[in-house]
Structures are given as C-alpha cells and as structure tokens.
Amino acid sequence: MPPEPTTASSSAIAATADDPGRRSHYAEFYGDAPTPAEPYGLVLGNCQAESLRIVLDSEGASWIRVPAVFELTADDLPHLRRLLAGAAFVVSQPIRDGYRDLPIGTAQLREAAPRAVFATVPSIRFAGLHPAHLILRDPGFVHGDPPLVPYHDLRVLAEAVGAEGLPARPSAATVRAIAELSREELRAREERARTDVIVSDLFDAPAFDLMRTINHPGNPVLRETGTRLLRALGLPGEARDPGRPLLASVEAPREAAVIEVFGIDAEPVEHWTVEGRALGVAEVREAHLAWYAERPDLVEYAWLRARPTVELWHGVS
C-alpha cells in the first residue's frame, strides 16, 4: 500500500529538482550541503515521515530530510539512490513496488540500501476521535481535495447526496464502534505489512492530543513511535520532543459526544483550525456543499465508499 497522500506542509515545496526553494529545503538530499560524516538515516513515507525524522534526531545517527514519496520525481532518483547506498539506517512506511511508476516501494528501498538497518512503521490513521470525518479520493485523484480542509464530513456528504436520517450527533455506541473499527483496521495494516513497529495500541485510550485529524498524529504518538523505531533499529535513547507541535497545520473540531464517551478532559470545539485561523463548521459545510454540487460523480463515488461508516451511524444504537 502507498502512504496516504495528505496536505503536508512540505507539499507546498515545488516538486521540481531545479526549484531553488525545494533545493534549499532538501539541501542534503540534493548534495547542496555535505552529507553527515556520522552514520545517517532516512525516513521515507507520507507527511508523517518528516515528523518522525524530527523526533528521531537523537544520539547515534543523523537523519537527513528527504521529500515525501508522493513528491518524488524521476529526477530525484539519483539523489535518493546515492543516499540509500550509504545509509546506516532506513525507516519506511509500507509503499507498494512501482509507486507512482517509480522504484520506491518498500522492498525496492531495502534492496537499494544494502548497508542499512531497516525498519518499517505503519501509516497512522485513527478515526475514533473524529468519527464523522473521512478521506475519500476518486480514482485518478481527478477532483482533488475539497476546499478549506481536505476532509469530508459524513453529515455534509449525506446532505449533498440527499440521504435522510443521518443523526447530526453520533450515539455513544457509534463513537465506540468507529473507534474500535479504526483500531482494528490499523492492526490489520500492521499485520498485513508485518511492520517492525506497532502503534495500534497507542489508541486504546483515545485522547485529543493523540490525533489532530484522522491522519495527523499528535506529538505523543510521534514521540512514542519514534522511541519504538529507535529500539527496532538498535539505537540508544528515546525520541526527542522538538519543542513545538508537529503536523499542526490543521486541527479538527472536538465533538461533545466523543468527549463524553471517552471521558476526555476537554471542551467541545466547533471550528477547524487551519494555519492558525479558525474556520467555523458552518463555513466549511457551505464551501463543501458548493464544491459537491459541481461534482455529482464524486459525490456518488464518495457516498458508496463511505457506506461502512454510514452503516455504523445508522445501525448502532
């Protein structure tokens, strides 16, 4: 499976190797800054990979910033091969062979890094704290993400498709069922990919500091995942706290039903936060409904894909 594409801060960097901003951002990757003399490592995957690189920057290895795999181009391959050939450590999320028609699948990366201690870690998704939210993309990603926030709200999608009877507030049983389903899906991905690091147990007691959105882990999850990676790689110490929130460009609302079910010490939040700006749920709803109105084929496809979650909202009482 490829990592899930997301709106990462690094995705704003132009995806061409001759772009000055990109070359400056990834100076060691492009050879514009010296490769560390000490043993170095690489973390490859989606936007979570860069945050893991940051927390892994500890004693025993230097970790080089590399583009997210969904940003890599054929022109980047010589630079990637050079670094893989000399890497002492490589961390990779599960990536299928030939992802985006490039030889950057996890097995292919392993072959290209013969000297490296290699560890795999799952892409982290957990919907238990945000049971109405979905990431749904049409085949070929023709339509892109909805405006303002790249997440679909099941209730807004139901409104767009003309479905009736979907509760505005999930029941306690629905919240629990979605959380358990999400944990089971993460466990299944870990088992299927036989990842060296397991993270699904981190969501046994859901709390908002664990996930900012359904696919953006908070610092506690990233740090514990990083510490488990260090152990898997045979490196000393623990993952570090960077002193700032990671993957914090988007934060989802916090629903009262979730707070009550899990006994979380928090107040409901009825807005999104995007790059520090509050966006009301009503504002996002209106923008998404207008966007859906121009894309009836996407609405039909998204509603079909959302059926398992819809059934939990309807069928669990």
Side-chain angles (χ1 to χ4, degrees), residues 146-149 151-153 156 284-293:
L148 301 183
V149 296
Y151 304 96
H152 300 262
D153 188 304
V156 179
V284 173
R285 170 185 165 273
E286 291 175 6
H288 284 203
L289 286 174
W291 190 76
Y292 290 144

Side-chain angles (χ1 to χ4, degrees), residues 134-316:
L134 307 162
I135 298 176
L136 295 167
R137 294 186 173 93
D138 54 296
F141 200 40
V142 174
H143 294 292
D145 287 319
L148 301 183
V149 296
Y151 304 96
H152 300 262
D153 188 304
L154 189 66
R155 295 158 294 198
V156 179
L157 189 59
E159 190 175 351
V161 82
E164 297 181 356
L166 195 71
R169 171 184 166 126
S171 70
T174 293
V175 172
R176 292 190 189 96
I178 289 175
E180 183 55 31
L181 175 63
S182 191
R183 277 193 297 266
E184 287 300 323
E185 289 175 341
L186 182 51
R187 290 187 191 111
R189 291 197 300 274
E190 291 168 339
E191 292 174 3
R192 186 166 55 247
R194 297 181 180 178
T195 55
D196 297 300
V197 167
I198 301 299
V199 299
S200 50
D201 62 298
L202 299 179
F203 302 103
D204 289 345
F208 288 118
D209 63 344
L210 300 181
M211 295 295 290
R212 305 185 195 283
T213 67
I214 58 176
N215 65 338
H216 281 187
N219 284 34
V221 169
L222 291 165
R223 286 190 64 196
E224 178 58 26
T225 303
T227 295
R228 294 180 183 190
L229 277 167
L230 290 173
R231 292 172 186 155
L233 294 167
L235 287 169
E238 297 184 352
R240 73 183 186 96
D241 185 343
R244 59 185 173 87
L246 298 170
L247 288 175
S249 60
V250 180
E251 295 208 32
R254 298 178 174 185
E255 300 205 25
V258 173
I259 292 171
E260 293 168 11
V261 166
F262 297 123
I264 301 172
D265 184 13
E267 294 295 323
V269 176
E270 297 183 357
H271 63 262
W272 292 83
T273 302
V274 180
E275 302 293 354
R277 176 194 169 203
L279 291 175
V281 170
E283 180 181 356
V284 173
R285 170 185 165 273
E286 291 175 6
H288 284 203
L289 286 174
W291 190 76
Y292 290 144
E294 298 176 353
R295 297 163 175 82
D297 57 327
L298 172 65
V299 172
E300 182 179 357
Y301 173 80
W303 188 246
L304 181 65
R305 288 288 307 276
R307 181 176 294 172
T309 306
V310 172
E311 291 175 352
L312 288 178
W313 276 65
H314 275 306
V316 180

Side-chain angles (χ1 to χ4, degrees), residues 32-51:
D32 297 337
T35 302
E38 62 185 328
Y40 67 82
L42 309 174
V43 186
L44 292 125
N46 61 14
C47 62
Q48 297 170 14
E50 169 60 8
S51 292

Side-chain angles (χ1 to χ4, degrees), residues 18-44:
D18 57 356
D19 179 85
R22 181 181 173 89
R23 291 195 73 101
S24 175
H25 191 70
Y26 299 113
E28 290 179 316
F29 177 76
Y30 287 116
D32 297 337
T35 302
E38 62 185 328
Y40 67 82
L42 309 174
V43 186
L44 292 125

